[in-house]
Amino acid sequence: MNNIQLNPSMKFSDLLNFNPELILLLSRFHIPLGFGEKTVEEICAEQNLSANLFLLICKVYSIKGYKISREEAERTDMGDLLLFLSDSHRYYLEERLPHIATHLMHIAEKCTASQGRLLQQFYEEYRNEVIAHFDYEEKTVFPYIRVLMEGKQEASFRIREFESNHSNIEEKLQDLVSILLKYLPPESSPQERISITMDIYHLTEDINRHSQLEDHLLVHYANMKERGNHDQTE
Amino acid sequence: MTRQNKVLIVEHSPVVAEGLKSLFEETEYRVIATLPTLESALERLPALNPDIVVLNPMLIDFSQRLKLRHIFQEYPNLLLAAMQTFYCEQSVLAQFHTVLDLEDNPARISTKLKNALEAISHETEGAPAGSELSMREKEVLKAISKGYTNKQVADMLHLSVHTVITHRKNISHKTGIKTLSGLTLYALINHLIDENEIQ
């Protein structure tokens, strides 16, 4: 997939031909279906969304290992980015995880009682971990970025704390895949296990890209601002 | 497996060095040399080609004390055993494959070295992915699934913390499971532990 094809004046439907999986991002941008022959620029304008940011996120989600350039980072609309990240958190918690949970509970019913219980417990632990992870970002990191956007500096927080605390929430998902594929008794719901594995795979990829946006765009922006604020006070 | 029994003792105290040497005579291990400093040991290492170095941690220069693996990086197959005669910080000891104590008898020394050699051979060969867990790995897995810390597992199984960590890495490599709760679930599914044993 070549990113040269992606530009604001291209037809929105061509973007989805380029990578059909991008359709999973639309609800998070509140872009409704039925875009007819409108361009990316027009659709973004309707949603009051920066087309640059939208295309950048499409690239990160379409091209494996995509490197966000300095220039791209610098022209990012941070307000729009924060909205997208928050909407993604909601999407993971309210749509993806419950979906996986439902399948897991079916699988748990087909296992022995204690295996089933442990499987449920494993999922609960994972869910709590994810909630805590998102909570920290929503309550501490994102508000801090908003303070920086207003040209102010908060005394008690620096972005490097986020960098060092940014935990990996994909690990448990990978463990779950190993357990589902390799270690549960073969006779307990094989079809459901295969389908849930694909769901987990997609979620893991999605969260990976999500973290990439946070690690590169948020951190870059905050570092830049912090340096600026520091220079001013000297 | 080829015999790995050549031991180099690096110890400045003649009492300890001679004591170790005579204890080793009652084991399957053979002391090939005794040297008083780490520098002299490093110089002679290529020529002596030991399988095991028993080193007094106090002989490591203070600034290098946490860089043991770096010092011996050219000898990935070499087993590093600490001979602890004085109190030594856990962070320093953790870099060794195993730790010998003044109270150890020949049988105990022999067991410690054998366990550590087993772990190190997996580490360097890269545990073949897909192979079954070894007995020792199962023991480690059982203990961590029950909620014991690396340090507690090390004490229970007479291993160094470093060796426990190596076992954990190998277990994760073989099973594809990294987190503690994932490993616990694995242990339960494979009947290594019972549900009521989980803390």
Side-chain angles (χ1 to χ4, degrees):
Chain A
M1 286 192 248
N2 189 341
N3 67 354
I4 296 166
Q5 300 165 14
L6 299 192
N7 62 74
S9 54
M10 75 192 289
K11 256 167 57 176
F12 198 86
S13 53
D14 286 343
L15 185 66
L16 299 180
N17 288 336
F18 161 74
N19 178 10
E21 290 197 17
L22 291 176
I23 206 155
L24 294 171
L25 294 178
L26 298 188
S27 73
R28 287 178 253 175
F29 284 115
H30 307 282
I31 295 174
L33 299 179
F35 10 79
E37 313 308 323
K38 287 179 195 156
T39 63
V40 168
E41 216 163 15
E42 286 165 336
I43 295 277
C44 287
E46 284 175 9
Q47 299 306 321
N48 214 355
L49 166 71
S50 148
N52 272 335
L53 175 69
F54 175 73
L55 286 175
L56 176 60
I57 292 175
C58 289
K59 285 179 199 169
V60 169
Y61 271 80
S62 305
I63 302 159
K64 212 174 168 97
Y66 184 77
K67 289 252 186 308
I68 299 171
S69 72
R70 201 192 169 82
E71 199 193 10
E72 283 171 320
E74 269 159 24
R75 63 169 190 218
T76 298
D77 183 314
M78 296 310 287
D80 282 355
L81 175 65
L82 292 181
L83 286 178
F84 172 76
L85 294 175
S86 290
D87 278 323
S88 296
H89 289 167
R90 242 195 317 279
Y91 168 76
Y92 299 142
L93 281 179
E94 291 172 13
E95 293 188 36
R96 299 328 298 162
L97 286 186
H99 176 80
I100 290 173
T102 312
H103 284 301
L104 265 189
M105 294 315 122
H106 292 162
I107 294 165
E109 283 164 20
K110 300 273 166 56
C111 298
T112 66
S114 60
Q115 286 171 357
R117 262 198 304 280
L118 259 277
L119 201 56
Q120 288 190 24
Q121 197 184 318
F122 183 86
Y123 170 77
E124 284 305 320
E125 267 178 41
Y126 177 67
R127 186 163 172 276
N128 290 336
E129 198 179 290
V130 172
I131 290 174
H133 181 104
F134 291 166
D135 224 43
Y136 168 69
E137 292 176 357
E138 302 265 351
K139 293 197 176 132
T140 308
V141 185
F142 295 0
Y144 174 68
I145 300 287
R146 292 202 173 89
V147 168
L148 290 177
M149 283 164 67
E150 290 167 15
K152 297 181 204 147
Q153 173 69 57
E154 209 169 81
S156 58
F157 188 83
R158 290 290 180 276
I159 199 68
R160 59 172 177 268
E161 285 174 40
F162 168 64
E163 282 181 272
S164 48
N165 284 335
H166 202 195
S167 56
N168 179 349
I169 50 170
E170 297 99 287
E171 233 174 32
K172 269 211 176 76
L173 283 179
Q174 284 151 14
D175 286 2
L176 192 53
V177 168
S178 294
I179 288 164
L180 287 169
L181 295 184
K182 294 166 72 180
Y183 301 118
L184 283 181
E187 62 282 3
S188 41
S189 344
Q191 271 98 7
E192 204 153 12
R193 271 154 68 190
I194 290 171
S195 115
I196 197 184
T197 301
M198 288 314 293
D199 289 335
I200 295 174
Y201 171 75
H202 280 128
L203 179 61
T204 310
E205 284 289 300
D206 200 315
I207 294 179
N208 258 325
R209 307 300 161 92
H210 179 85
S211 311
Q212 201 186 333
L213 293 174
E214 290 175 339
D215 289 342
H216 289 90
L217 296 177
L218 285 190
V219 171
H220 175 84
Y221 177 79
N223 275 330
M224 210 168 64
K225 283 285 185 180
E226 283 176 3
R227 229 175 292 131
N229 290 343
H230 182 73
D231 292 346
Q232 275 169 23
T233 51
E234 291 236 322
Chain B
M1 195 166 44
T2 51
R3 266 182 91 75
Q4 297 171 297
N5 65 355
K6 286 183 285 171
V7 178
L8 168 64
I9 295 174
V10 187
E11 171 61 65
H12 64 300
S13 149
V15 173
V16 177
E18 286 304 313
L20 264 176
K21 212 171 152 186
S22 71
L23 289 185
F24 267 114
E25 277 167 17
E26 293 174 46
T27 69
E28 67 271 41
Y29 300 98
R30 190 162 56 85
V31 177
I32 52 170
T34 304
L35 295 166
T37 64
L38 179 56
E39 291 66 35
S40 56
L42 287 171
E43 227 167 79
R44 304 265 319 269
L45 212 49
L48 291 168
N49 191 26
D51 303 302
I52 299 166
V53 169
V54 178
L55 169 67
N56 178 344
M58 296 298 147
L59 293 179
I60 314 169
D61 183 73
F62 194 77
S63 64
Q64 302 286 306
R65 206 152 272 184
L66 290 171
K67 296 182 187 152
L68 186 68
R69 292 299 170 122
H70 183 75
I71 299 174
F72 286 96
Q73 65 179 348
E74 284 165 41
Y75 307 95
N77 296 312
L78 188 64
L79 186 143
L80 300 168
M83 178 65 226
Q84 193 184 11
T85 50
F86 292 99
Y87 168 78
C88 182
E89 292 147 70
Q90 194 51 48
S91 53
V92 176
L93 293 179
Q95 305 171 94
F96 287 87
H97 296 102
T98 188
V99 178
L100 307 181
D101 286 306
L102 283 176
E103 292 82 16
D104 287 348
N105 57 28
R108 186 74 184 274
I109 291 176
S110 178
T111 312
K112 282 181 174 178
L113 293 180
K114 192 170 134 268
N115 290 342
L117 280 170
E118 197 180 297
I120 204 178
S121 71
H122 281 184
E123 184 179 24
T124 50
E125 288 156 20
S131 58
E132 287 283 314
L133 298 188
S134 69
M135 284 311 290
R136 180 54 72 161
E137 284 163 354
K138 282 181 186 168
E139 278 178 69
V140 171
L141 176 59
K142 272 189 215 175
I144 53 178
S145 304
K146 287 177 195 168
Y148 293 108
T149 63
N150 288 342
K151 175 80 179 70
Q152 287 169 321
V153 178
D155 291 344
M156 284 158 57
L157 302 176
H158 308 305
L159 300 169
S160 75
V161 173
H162 179 85
T163 304
V164 173
I165 292 170
T166 302
H167 280 306
R168 269 185 90 146
K169 273 191 212 149
N170 291 340
I171 294 167
S172 291
H173 183 66
K174 285 183 184 174
T175 58
I177 301 172
K178 290 201 185 77
T179 65
L180 179 58
S181 39
L183 289 172
T184 307
L185 190 50
Y186 171 90
L188 190 102
I189 292 171
N190 288 287
H191 310 291
L192 292 171
I193 51 164
D194 210 49
E195 198 184 358
N196 51 32
E197 289 180 291
I198 303 165
Q199 289 176 358

